């Protein structure tokens, strides 16, 4: 376990990386994304922060707060409903028009739901799209800016926060879950696909590190879309589970560590102190981390890796991107 002292001394030293780090928080208007953005603004010199989400009102409050925490910082809100890939592309273009380099892409956009499949105009399930397709479309679009940061600065990293573990098998003949959607299948596919995405991206982009992190249980706005009865139930559950939860500010500090520590270097910069990557290779550039910075393993995923499922999933992802974004108004 990475101690909180180690986390704090890493974060306190981020000023040594120099001024002008650029971080994009996809889902930065609430919860773990916001708490990590806050820790980033506190610990860096003259950072430029992009918060991507839908909630303009929250974004305005956060911008005012960040201006006070660090008057040299600059926060920009990029308003976008990211459940559609066309909106992801638009948000990325806005950021790319301003920034030649991006040091950190931190992705938490998502939500809890008890509903079944909700098809978007692009033919994907809304939750699955937010937890996987939209996130990796973001990462793929911003690769030139991430690579520019990776070749000229000490920090280039992509972090996706969900859960590297899967508890059930995947539906291999329906990867997008068009006809096999259950909440369990959606969780397994989104988690496993994030796992494979960090491995595929890390192998192809040696100057950027890729992390898939599990946050533990954190009391955030995740249940805000529930009805009043379920919200009361969640409130009671949160009180009972409080001793086992990661406090939100600590979660932000720990995720900032996962997002910046040289323990998780890109493949091309792996030195002596590098952690084991997701495949067990030291400094592989792809890391599956638990809430406390420890490596996560999963026997079922090892089996899938041995079958080269990562390649299949990535090819599927490109096919989805091509179909939806290849033609205006496209659908998968
Ligand atoms: N909290 C936990 O205990 C926990 C445990 C395991 C995994 N996770 C995962 O960790 C991630 C972050 O969770 P959290 O607890 O920080 O959630 P949260 O507080 O609800 O924050 C979610 C963020 O996603 C954004 N978002 C949701 N729908 C969006 C959309 N259609 N377009 C653009 N942005 C959207 C929200 O922004 P707007 O409202 O501005 O759109 C918000 O900033 C989620 O994927 C969650 O499944 C959380």
């Amino acid at each position: 376990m990475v101690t909180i002292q180690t986390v704090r001394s890493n974060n306190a030293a981020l000023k040594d990386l120099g001024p002008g780090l650029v971080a994009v928080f996809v889902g930065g208007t609430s919860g773990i994304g916001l708490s990590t953005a806050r820790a980033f603004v506190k610990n860096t010199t003259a950072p430029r922060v992009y918060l991507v989400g839908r909630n303009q009102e929250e974004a305005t409050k956060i911008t005012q707060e960040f201006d006070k925490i660090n008057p040299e910082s600059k926060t920009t809100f990029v308003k976008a409903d990211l459940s559609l890939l066309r909106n992801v592309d638009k948000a990325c273009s806005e950021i790319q028009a301003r920034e030649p380099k991006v040091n950190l892409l931190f992705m938490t956009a998502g939500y809890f739901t008890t509903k079944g499949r909700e098809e978007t105009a692009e033919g994907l399930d809304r939750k699955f799209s937010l937890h996987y397709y939209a996130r990796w479309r973001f990462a793929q679009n911003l690769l030139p800016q991430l690579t520019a940061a990776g070749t000229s600065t000490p920090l280039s990293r992509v972090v996706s926060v969900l859960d590297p573990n899967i508890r059930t098998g995947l539906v291999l003949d329906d990867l997008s879950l068009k006809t096999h959607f259950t909440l369990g299948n959606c969780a397994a596919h989104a988690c496993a696909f994030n796992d494979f995405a960090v491995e595929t991206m890390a192998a192809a982009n040696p100057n950027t590190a890729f992390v898939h992190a599990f946050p533990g249980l954190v009391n955030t706005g995740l249940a805000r879309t529930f009805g009043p009865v379920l919200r009361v139930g969640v409130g009671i559950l949160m009180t009972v589970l409080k001793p086992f939860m990661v406090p939100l500010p600590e979660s932000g500090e720990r995720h900032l560590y996962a997002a910046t520590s040289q323990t998780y270097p890109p493949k091309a910069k792996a030195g002596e102190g590098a952690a084991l990557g997701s495949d067990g290779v030291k400094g592989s550039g792809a890391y599956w981390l638990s809430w406390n910075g420890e490596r996560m393993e999963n026997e079922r995923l090892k089996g899938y890796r041995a079958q080269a499922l990562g390649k299949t999933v990535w090819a599927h992802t490109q096919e989805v991107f091509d179909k939806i974004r290849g033609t205006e108004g496209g659908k998968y």
Side-chain angles (χ1 to χ4, degrees):
M1 161 156 167
V2 178
T3 65
I4 193 69
Q5 289 78 13
T6 302
V7 165
R8 287 184 180 146
S9 63
N10 172 79
N11 295 350
L14 289 178
K15 291 199 165 63
D16 297 345
L17 298 184
L21 292 179
V22 176
V24 177
F25 292 88
V26 178
T29 55
S30 173
I32 297 158
L34 169 55
S35 136
T36 307
R38 188 177 278 128
F40 180 80
V41 168
K42 267 187 197 162
N43 286 288
T44 51
T45 306
R48 292 197 294 286
V49 168
Y50 292 83
L51 303 172
V52 192
R54 294 161 303 173
N55 194 331
Q56 175 76 64
E57 206 180 314
E58 275 307 307
T60 304
K61 279 195 232 155
I62 296 164
T63 304
Q64 286 164 358
E65 182 203 332
F66 285 5
D67 287 349
K68 277 198 194 129
I69 296 178
N70 184 343
E72 288 182 304
S73 68
K74 177 158 176 43
T75 305
T76 305
F77 179 51
V78 179
K79 188 172 178 177
D81 180 342
L82 301 171
S83 56
L84 293 176
L85 298 184
R86 60 171 175 257
N87 296 342
V88 172
D89 288 355
K90 208 166 149 261
C92 289
S93 300
E94 275 186 48
I95 296 164
Q96 286 167 315
R98 291 161 180 247
E99 300 295 347
K101 290 185 195 121
V102 170
N103 300 95
L104 171 63
L105 172 62
F106 191 87
M107 305 187 287
T108 54
Y111 63 104
F112 266 151
T113 180
T114 49
K115 287 188 194 154
R117 193 170 198 276
E118 279 187 273
E119 185 153 308
T120 67
E122 295 177 336
L124 297 170
D125 170 66
R126 200 172 125 77
K127 176 176 165 126
F128 193 3
S129 189
L130 276 171
H131 285 185
Y132 176 65
Y133 297 102
R135 293 186 185 192
W136 291 94
R137 180 76 180 177
F138 232 107
Q140 196 170 50
N141 284 346
L142 293 188
L143 272 177
Q145 287 68 33
L146 288 158
T147 304
T151 47
S152 63
T153 78
L155 180 65
S156 173
R157 197 162 302 179
V158 175
V159 181
S160 182
V161 178
L162 197 61
D163 185 353
N165 256 328
I166 58 167
R167 287 154 195 94
T168 58
L170 307 178
V171 187
L172 299 182
D173 57 356
D174 183 15
L175 293 176
S176 77
L177 298 173
K178 199 97 175 153
T179 55
H180 295 77
F181 188 93
T182 63
L183 288 174
N185 283 346
C186 180
H189 279 226
C191 293
F193 288 14
N194 270 281
D195 285 330
F196 292 132
V198 298
E199 292 192 348
T200 308
M201 284 282 216
N205 300 282
N207 289 299
T208 301
F210 294 84
V211 175
H212 180 190
F214 174 62
L217 196 55
V218 190
N219 195 358
T220 63
L222 207 56
R224 73 171 89 82
T225 53
F226 287 176
V229 177
L230 260 182
R231 273 215 304 277
V232 170
V234 170
I236 294 168
L237 194 67
M238 291 295 180
T239 311
V240 174
L241 293 177
K242 202 169 174 191
F244 307 101
M245 293 174 70
V246 185
L248 189 54
E250 178 177 336
S251 176
E253 291 176 287
R254 286 189 172 278
H255 281 97
L256 183 61
Y257 178 85
T260 57
S261 168
Q262 293 310 317
T263 311
Y264 314 115
K267 197 174 163 188
K269 295 182 183 168
E272 262 309 295
L276 292 185
S278 55
D279 57 359
V281 176
K282 198 171 172 178
S284 73
Y287 305 91
W288 301 350
L289 302 182
S290 187
W291 71 273
N292 58 11
E294 276 180 9
R295 174 168 173 258
M296 289 178 86
E297 278 192 286
N298 187 296
E299 286 308 313
R300 206 186 297 260
L301 283 161
K302 266 193 198 165
Y304 283 138
R305 192 193 286 119
Q307 296 168 35
L309 193 66
K311 268 195 177 158
T312 309
V313 166
W314 201 244
H316 157 76
T317 306
Q318 297 311 309
E319 188 197 346
V320 168
F321 291 170
D322 288 348
K323 275 206 175 148
I324 293 176
R325 295 302 295 149
T327 49
E328 198 50 48
K331 205 170 168 176
Y332 185 68

